[in-house]
Amino acid sequence: MSHADDEHEANIPATTAWMPGTIPGSSPGTGMTGGNRRNFLRGALAATLIAPGVTLNVFGANARPAGEPASTKVRWGLLVDVNKCSISCDACVRACNAENGLTGRSETDAQWIRKVTLNNSATEEIRSAPVMCQHCASPPCVDVCPTGASFKRADGIVLVDKHICIGCRYCMMACPFKARSFVHEDHDDQATHAPRGKGTVEGCTLCVTRVDAGQKPACVEACAKEGGALVFGDLNDPGSEISKALRQYPAAQLRADLGVDPGVFYAHLK
Amino acid sequence: MAKQRYHRLSDHSLPFWTLILLHGLAVAAGVASALYIESHGHGVTGMNNQIVWGLPHVFAVFLIVAASGALNVASVSSVFHRLVYKPFARLSGVLAIALLIGGLAILVLDLGRPERVFLTLFHRNLTSIFAWNIYLYGGFVALVAGYLYAMMDRRLSNDPRATAVFGWAAFIWRLILTTGTGSIFGFLIARDAVSGAIMAPIFIASSLLYGLAFTVLVLLTMSIETSDILCTKELIGKFRGLLALFAATTLALTLIAHLTKLYAAPTVAVELFLLRDGGIYPIVFWIGQIGLGLLAPLLLLAVMKSEASNVAELAGASILFLFGGLAQMYVVIIGAQAWPLNIFPGFEASSSFGDGAVATYAPTAPEFFLGISGVSIAMLIAALAFRLLPVIPQILANEAKA
Ligand code: SF4
Ligand code: SF4
Ligand code: SF4
């Protein structure tokens, strides 16, 4: 799987730097891989980032300086503490929709994050948890994508390059978590940092522009005001909040048996 | 044996023009539908974020699978030296290319961004079986075209080695191609209904069946059009036997696949869904795919007498086999998506995004027209080739009576 990833990365044309901000703890020039990934993404979002105002949030305390690649030393991840997630709350979903300008008719609306109600078949206990792109380390969506539009950044964030997505929907067929949506119609009310193209596929970006600017994803921020069930951070950094939490109580990846190694963990899921 | 002569179709009969007109109308409707879907977005189809591949994929995959099988007649003549099929090798090659182009056209027109299809030439992901299929399809057309050239070129056709080399290459290529198409589904690890290695052999067996059924129907149409008995008594007997063999193989492999999944714990639920509880899918499976699509035509073949005058059963069986093929694709492609993904084992899941629920799919007219136009595109390409190239064999009257 990793060999395949390397091959894929080698196909990415090297272009000039784009990504604003830096990742905490990353050192300059780490890994060509990261550079290629980042440059790849440049094509995806460059057009919108030229828009004035977007660069304002770049220089947060933990921001990654412009021109520096995303680093393989970092692996961004999420932890969902099911105990703290209330069935009636959908703050994360609303925050994501607002952040990314997701609207649409209900039959074909895009859902980058959704609340799933879970009825334990054995105990009849009812729980709930959000499901978004799991930012898999071995993402099937990336493996099957014919053009390489689906790609994984060095820091583990899985994205779609909307400029080379041909809308074949093979990634949607391959994703084990139904984490992607197809844009079924035109949308006028788009957020500048999250362009949406009719006929292409999209999904949770782990709020990449926010993360690169040193902020937390919108859903995590919104959840902090409610149950505080979502923890975001660097899975590779033992001192990060998420790593500490993962050491404190056991958490599992969804469908670990499939071997795709999600970057999202669920704690107290029983 | 006298040298086989071929001719081009010159003047057409009224029924033939009518057929051409109908196919032309279907293609026009397909193109209009594609433009409509393209400009409004896939929201005007029955597809949604649960059922992402709809009717166009059903037709497209069906045609692509049939394409490699259509080469069958050519393969058995060049690769296995069955002389009785030799006069039809050209027709079989033309049909293979036509069906493939018909299928691919639909696949491309159903993309979210069809105008970007050429991006696949510059941006390739070599881990993608989809990307590989693009090469497989291109290579198939090139090899079959070379094969046709080797058969038609005056100088090359005198050298049996040239035909043999191209014949073998095309034969091997088509096996890989069908395996590649089947593997598109085999790679979907989380889709309980279709993941697994058995998909590839099923696709190979059914490709032989659908390809031959198309060949038989085109041959019979050409017999009427040229007032020449293209299907000799001997040939009809052979087609009957081959169709029965391929149908029985497809049936057996399909049953094995379902039985294996029925006895494996993780897939038993989806099997019960497809075979018993799933509403439209068991109906399409049992009545469409198995009953009308395999058993009924097998019965027709069993009772028919192998006489040249008795082609109605052969034609009827071929049409039913093709119908069954569409039913098979419907169950495999749509049924597999309708069944919910098991994201939280041990829980009953529900959400606003169809978790834990069977997805509904109501195809709309545009996607149906787009799908069916693939068949018509293939038939029009074949008709054009029959007019431009010496493809149709001239059967000597005494041979036909023999
Ligand atoms: S959850 Fe789905 S879309 Fe996200 S990385 Fe994994 S396979 Fe890809
Ligand atoms: S829909 Fe786009 S991102 Fe998904 S596999 Fe196809 S080209 Fe790749
Ligand atoms: S990380 Fe951002 S894009 Fe992903 S679900 Fe949360 S708010 Fe939405």
Side-chain angles (χ1 to χ4, degrees), chain B residues 129-349:
Chain B
I129 183 83
F130 230 42
W132 278 103
N133 274 315
I134 294 167
Y135 297 109
L136 289 178
Y137 299 148
F140 183 76
V141 172
L143 273 179
V144 177
Y147 183 33
L148 284 172
Y149 181 78
M151 287 191 284
M152 288 184 199
D153 184 70
R154 237 174 255 286
R155 204 168 42 83
L156 268 184
S157 63
N158 285 330
D159 181 356
R161 277 172 310 175
T163 346
V165 166
F166 274 110
W168 265 105
F171 173 69
I172 292 168
W173 199 272
R174 51 162 283 217
L175 288 182
I176 304 173
L177 181 133
T178 320
T179 312
T181 309
S183 304
I184 287 182
F185 299 95
F187 270 80
L188 304 174
I189 49 170
R191 305 265 173 190
D192 296 336
V194 288
S195 60
I198 189 120
M199 291 309 287
I202 291 186
F203 269 62
I204 290 183
S206 38
S207 91
L208 293 170
L209 180 63
Y210 310 144
L212 188 59
F214 266 118
T215 312
V216 166
L217 286 173
V218 168
L219 260 180
L220 294 178
T221 314
M222 287 302 115
S223 293
I224 299 171
E225 177 61 11
T226 58
S227 317
D228 208 348
I229 301 170
L230 292 178
C231 285
T232 57
K233 187 179 162 189
E234 184 190 9
L235 206 59
I236 287 189
K238 290 205 184 292
F239 282 153
R240 175 188 172 204
L242 281 177
L243 282 174
L245 175 72
F246 297 153
T249 314
T250 305
L251 187 63
L253 287 174
T254 307
L255 293 182
I256 291 173
H258 284 293
L259 281 177
T260 351
K261 285 180 178 271
L262 211 46
Y263 282 98
T267 45
V268 61
V270 67
E271 279 304 313
L272 290 177
F273 170 75
L274 290 178
L275 303 183
R276 198 188 69 194
D277 310 324
I280 179 83
Y281 304 104
I283 295 176
V284 175
F285 178 77
W286 290 110
I287 299 183
Q289 183 182 341
I290 301 294
L292 291 174
L294 287 169
L295 295 178
L298 272 173
L299 200 70
L300 258 184
L301 292 180
V303 299
M304 81 177 261
K305 297 182 192 69
S306 48
E307 274 168 27
S309 56
N310 216 337
V311 292
E313 284 96 337
L314 195 66
S318 299
I319 291 174
L320 285 174
F321 283 135
L322 295 182
F323 173 79
L326 285 170
Q328 177 195 2
M329 296 303 158
Y330 197 90
V331 175
V332 168
I333 297 174
I334 314 284
Q337 297 173 82
W339 182 246
L341 289 171
N342 189 11
I343 301 175
F344 293 93
F347 293 89
E348 269 171 49

Side-chain angles (χ1 to χ4, degrees), chain A residues 96 100 112-113 132 204-207 217-219:
Chain A
C96 180
N100 299 297
W112 294 10
I113 180 172
M132 68 297 280
C204 156
T205 62
L206 209 58
C207 283
C219 55

